[in-house]
Amino acid sequence: MTIEVYNSSKQVITDLNFYFSFDGNQVYQDLGTINQLEPGETTSRYSHQIKETGNDRSLYLHYPINKTEAEVESLAYLPSYKPSKVVVILEITGTDNKGKLLFRTRGYEDVFGQFEFDLTSARE
């Protein structure tokens, strides 16, 4: 599992936490946190193994939107029981007027292939 994150916004982005959720949100696999991402900066997270728990897993991003609230975004859904390769590229383009991230996501998982979606235009 590889997650590459690029901050193309003009803001410093903080506290991005990535995790898988399995079995109706009963089991979690933490994939790491990015504490701070400067404008124009790129970083990545890598996990050599995805837990083998069921065939219904989703990749989530959890981040703060202000001092008292947080947001959870679904970045990918993996319907296969045992994917061996998953790559997600997340481009953060800014925030909306409520503090939610504007982003584009594309990726690949070895069972069902490529995927892509854009929340930038949906929230602007």
Side-chain angles (χ1 to χ4, degrees), residues 2 14 21 39 62 67 75 90 96 103 114 121:
T2 301
T14 60
S21 176
H62 178 270
K67 294 181 184 198
L75 299 180
L90 172 64
D96 69 6
F103 62 89
Q114 295 182 350
S121 58

Side-chain angles (χ1 to χ4, degrees), residues 46-88:
Y46 175 77
S47 180
H48 70 279
Q49 185 176 7
I50 298 172
K51 284 184 182 178
E52 297 179 18
T53 306
N55 63 351
D56 184 15
R57 70 192 80 223
S58 294
L59 172 65
Y60 290 100
L61 166 62
H62 178 270
Y63 62 93
I65 56 172
N66 58 40
K67 294 181 184 198
T68 60
E69 294 182 57
E71 184 70 17
V72 176
E73 306 279 4
S74 177
L75 299 180
Y77 170 70
L78 306 175
S80 60
Y81 180 75
K82 191 174 180 183
S84 60
K85 183 174 185 177
V86 179
V87 177
V88 174

